Amino acid sequence: MAVSSVSLSWASTTLSKKLNNFPCSNELPRPFPLAANCSSIEQSNCRRRLLLLGAGTLATSLLPASPFLAQEIPQNYRAFVDKRDGYSYYYPSDWIDFDFRGHDSAFKDRTMQLQNVRVRFIPTDKKDLHDLGSMQQVVSDLVEKIYAAPNQRATIFDVQERSEDGKNYYTFEYELTSPNFSSVAFATIGISNGRYYTLIVGANERRWKRYRNQLKMVADSFKMLDI
């Protein structure tokens, strides 16, 4: 696995047409409905997630051949593996499943709903992150023009690139600050299976220092699986 780290200090430029399909993520400050409150349109996705969660409790014993599950799951984490949609990651074992509109899977802290992880993907004709442009510009445009709401100031602290099993990932840390609220998050992005995947795991700014290492484990664990 190759890893490089670059500090981001550049200014954002006009968003390229090839980035028009970046997933929107102005949802951090919003209240999140529980899975039990899914709309009728989303019932099938909720049921599928519950089936995946049930299967996940048996995954270690039933699927030892999986490269992801062959690794030892860190203490106090669980593995979420979605073979149908081609991705996997770890999340804290005391977090619960919930419905985050527009996302394929999501888990949150039982008491702090803004402390959560969620994954979504969109179709793309790109084969790799490098096809989108430079790492610096891709991350800058994504955070400042897609993740940040008009009333928020975006700050990017760091970005790392890793390559695993022939797939490239960017993981970056950023803060969104509005007049009355600040949140900090890690995001991991990657392209595989004709899909652009995004994992975001974050918390409010006051809790970030305490839980940063725990949440970094989640961001670094994200993997795209062949489907």
Side-chain angles (χ1 to χ4, degrees):
M1 179 190 303
V3 178
S4 62
S5 179
V6 181
S7 177
L8 299 181
S9 59
W10 54 85
S12 176
T13 59
T14 303
L15 188 61
S16 167
K17 290 182 179 179
K18 59 189 170 185
L19 298 177
N20 284 339
N21 283 331
F22 271 2
C24 182
S25 180
N26 292 334
E27 296 154 301
L28 262 175
R30 301 177 184 173
F32 307 127
L34 295 176
N37 295 329
C38 294
S39 69
S40 58
I41 296 176
E42 296 163 333
Q43 287 294 328
S44 60
N45 285 339
C46 293
R47 286 194 295 268
R48 186 176 71 82
R49 268 206 313 280
L50 291 174
L51 288 172
L52 285 168
L53 287 170
T57 61
L58 301 175
T60 302
S61 60
L62 296 181
L63 298 171
S66 168
F68 183 78
L69 296 173
Q71 302 176 14
E72 183 178 354
I73 299 174
Q75 186 177 7
N76 300 322
Y77 289 85
R78 293 179 180 173
F80 180 85
V81 182
D82 188 339
K83 285 193 169 184
R84 191 181 82 171
D85 289 317
Y87 68 91
S88 61
Y89 59 93
Y90 299 143
Y91 65 95
S93 58
D94 59 345
W95 285 16
I96 58 174
D97 174 53
F98 78 113
D99 180 63
F100 196 114
R101 186 178 297 275
H103 289 70
D104 191 65
S105 65
F107 296 88
K108 69 173 182 177
D109 184 276
R110 292 177 180 272
T111 58
M112 302 298 296
Q113 64 178 5
L114 293 182
Q115 199 159 306
N116 65 74
V117 58
R118 66 265 193 196
V119 174
R120 69 183 301 181
F121 52 83
I122 58 173
T124 181
D125 59 357
K126 304 302 181 184
K127 303 299 182 184
D128 185 82
L129 288 174
H130 297 163
D131 297 337
L132 299 174
S134 71
M135 178 172 64
Q136 294 91 338
Q137 196 62 57
V138 168
V139 173
S140 180
D141 285 338
L142 184 59
V143 173
E144 297 183 12
K145 297 186 176 182
I146 304 299
Y147 290 177
N151 68 332
Q152 291 179 316
R153 183 181 74 254
T155 304
I156 302 169
F157 299 113
D158 183 73
V159 60
Q160 296 179 339
E161 179 178 7
R162 65 181 165 96
S163 179
E164 190 168 353
D165 300 325
K167 300 177 177 66
N168 295 315
Y169 304 81
Y170 299 158
T171 296
F172 46 96
E173 181 180 1
Y174 65 95
E175 180 177 21
L176 300 178
T177 303
S178 59
N180 300 314
F181 181 85
S182 292
S183 62
V184 192
F186 289 110
T188 296
I189 60 175
I191 292 177
S192 184
N193 305 314
R195 297 173 173 184
Y196 182 143
Y197 294 89
T198 301
L199 175 148
I200 296 178
V201 57
N204 66 45
E205 187 273 337
R206 289 177 298 175
R207 294 170 63 88
W208 184 252
K209 184 175 181 180
R210 179 178 177 184
Y211 291 98
R212 181 183 183 277
N213 291 341
Q214 179 193 53
L215 303 183
K216 184 64 159 57
M217 174 73 76
V218 177
D220 288 343
S221 72
F222 182 74
K223 291 185 180 180
M224 298 176 291
L225 312 175
D226 293 329
I227 56 175

